[in-house]
Amino acid sequence: MKHFLDINKTAPDDLRAMIDSAAAMKTARNGRPKGTPDDTQPLSGHMVALIFEKPSTRTRVSFDVGVRQMGGQTMVLSGSDMQLGHGETIADTARVLSRYVDLIMIRTFEEATLLEMAEYADVPVINGLTNRSHPCQIMADIMTFEEHRGSIAGKKVVWAGDGNNVFASFAHAAGQFGFDLTFTGPETLDPEKGFLDEARAKGSKIEIERNPQKAVEGADLVVTDTWVSMHDSPSSRERRHNQLRPYQVNQELMSHARTDALFMHCLPAHRDEEATSAIMDGPHSVIFDEAENRLHAQKAVMRWCLGV
C-alpha cells in the first residue's frame, strides 16, 4: 500500500520520480485546451474520494481536475457530509470507503485523523493537508523551483513568518531533496524542533535566524505564508500581526537575497500583510506557476500511489 502521508515518510527516489513525472505531464499538456483529457488515461475506471473537513480552493479544484484529466472520476465529500469520528469512527469510515473507491485524498485538521484513515483503509490515502503538514504543496514548490532554476539540491531556502504546517513540509523536503533551510520569525512561532533535527540528521543545513535581513542573505528562494487563519480570533490576529510585521517580505527584504532569487507563497494571500503586492506581482514571484503546479504534482502523486 503506497500512501502519501508526508514527504519524510516517502523515499527520496520516489519523490524524485514524482517530480519528474509531474514535469513530463505538464510538458505533454503544453498548448492543449485545459478541458481536454491527457493522451494517456491512467486513472480510467478509477474512483477517487476527495474528503474536505477543512475548506479549500486550490486543493479541491486541482485534485478534481487532475483526476478528470487522467480519465478518473471523483466523489467530493465535506466534513458535514461525513462527520468523521462523530457519527461513525474514522476506522469504520475508512473500511467502508475502501469498498467503494480506489484512492482517498483527505484534507483535515488533526494529523491523527489522517493516520487512522491510512491505517484502516485498504486503498492508498493522500494527505491533502493537516494542521501539522502540507506535503502536496511542497511537491509543487520543488517542481516550480526546478523548472525555473534547476536542481534544488544545495540551494538555500528561507522561510519568513510562522513555523506552521507548510514550513514543516519544507523541513521534511530539505532532508529528502538535500537543500538548506533557514527559518526567520518570532521565537513564539518557532517550528517544532523535531522537524529541524530530522533534516539536520540527513545532512541539510538548518538554521533559525531572528534577523530577517541576515536570514535572506544568499537565499535562492524566499517563502512565506498567511499570518492568520480563518479560525483565529480577532485578538489572536492582532497579536500575530504585531509579532510578524518585521518579517514581511517586501522589496527591502528581497534586496538582501540573491539577485535571481525566487519568491513563493502557497496562497491564498493577504496582500500587503505577509508580502507586498510589489513582491507578489514582481520579477521574483512565481506564485501562479506554483499554484498551477499543484495540479501536475498531485497527478504524479496519485499515479505513484496507484502504480499507474
Side-chain angles (χ1 to χ4, degrees):
M1 187 70 62
K2 293 199 292 188
H3 300 304
F4 186 73
L5 304 181
D6 269 316
I7 287 175
N8 63 332
K9 296 177 181 176
T10 309
D13 287 349
D14 289 333
L15 295 169
R16 171 51 55 196
M18 284 184 252
I19 296 292
D20 293 344
S21 172
M25 284 188 284
K26 182 175 183 178
T27 298
R29 288 198 64 82
N30 283 347
R32 83 170 33 189
K34 293 179 177 61
T36 57
D38 291 357
D39 287 332
T40 60
Q41 296 284 276
L43 264 62
S44 178
H46 289 79
M47 176 64 73
V48 180
L50 306 177
I51 302 173
F52 294 94
E53 278 201 297
K54 246 185 174 179
S56 166
T57 300
R58 270 151 294 280
T59 300
R60 176 167 179 165
V61 174
S62 56
F63 266 106
D64 199 350
V65 170
V67 171
R68 292 167 187 262
Q69 285 183 354
M70 294 191 292
Q73 298 184 63
T74 59
M75 176 186 299
V76 180
L77 300 165
S78 70
S80 59
D81 292 329
M82 305 196 63
Q83 298 183 331
L84 276 173
H86 301 293
E88 180 178 57
T89 67
I90 296 163
D92 284 353
T93 298
R95 293 182 178 108
V96 170
L97 281 178
S98 297
R99 302 295 181 100
Y100 302 145
V101 304
D102 304 288
L103 178 66
I104 298 169
M105 188 288 302
I106 181 168
R107 180 180 171 97
T108 187
F109 293 92
E110 299 303 322
E111 182 184 47
T113 302
L114 167 77
L115 297 179
E116 188 171 351
M117 181 71 71
E119 180 180 356
Y120 290 97
D122 293 325
V123 298
V125 173
I126 295 173
N127 176 1
L129 173 141
T130 71
N131 288 346
R132 203 143 185 266
S133 64
H134 196 359
C136 289
Q137 178 63 57
I138 297 333
M139 292 295 284
D141 292 357
I142 301 295
M143 177 186 176
T144 305
F145 182 90
E146 294 196 341
E147 71 182 7
H148 284 272
R149 295 289 184 266
S151 174
I152 199 169
K155 296 296 194 291
K156 179 179 178 179
V157 177
V158 177
W159 177 278
D162 178 9
N164 63 12
N165 54 347
V166 186
F167 174 84
S169 288
F170 255 114
H172 292 158
Q176 300 293 68
F177 286 94
F179 59 86
D180 299 329
L181 181 63
T182 298
F183 170 82
T184 186
E187 186 175 1
T188 52
L189 297 174
D190 272 356
E192 288 186 34
K193 184 174 180 293
F195 295 148
L196 309 183
D197 290 343
E198 181 181 359
R200 289 188 183 112
K202 293 178 179 178
S204 294
K205 182 180 180 182
I206 309 294
E207 296 182 328
I208 293 179
E209 172 54 61
R210 301 297 174 203
N211 183 319
Q213 287 76 24
K214 185 177 179 181
V216 302
E217 289 177 0
D220 298 286
L221 170 62
V222 178
V223 192
T224 192
D225 195 2
T226 53
W227 289 348
V228 296
S229 76
M230 65 185 76
H231 307 289
D232 289 331
S233 66
S235 61
S236 173
R237 287 168 182 259
E238 183 177 0
R239 185 167 60 252
R240 279 177 163 266
H241 275 91
N242 290 337
Q243 294 179 79
L244 288 163
R245 196 165 286 113
Y247 300 96
Q248 182 191 68
V249 182
N250 50 39
Q251 289 178 308
E252 195 282 328
L253 184 65
M254 286 297 293
S255 72
H256 295 272
R258 290 173 56 94
T259 56
D260 64 346
L262 298 179
F263 168 75
M264 292 189 193
H265 187 309
C266 66
L267 303 178
H270 297 96
R271 282 175 173 262
D272 300 310
E273 291 186 10
E274 65 269 13
T276 62
S277 290
I279 290 297
M280 295 183 67
D281 299 326
H284 296 286
S285 178
V286 290
I287 60 173
F288 296 112
D289 290 343
E290 181 187 7
E292 178 190 344
N293 285 342
R294 286 289 300 278
L295 169 66
H296 308 296
Q298 289 162 184
K299 286 166 69 174
V301 170
M302 289 187 281
R303 293 189 68 171
W304 176 80
C305 285
L306 292 169
V308 296

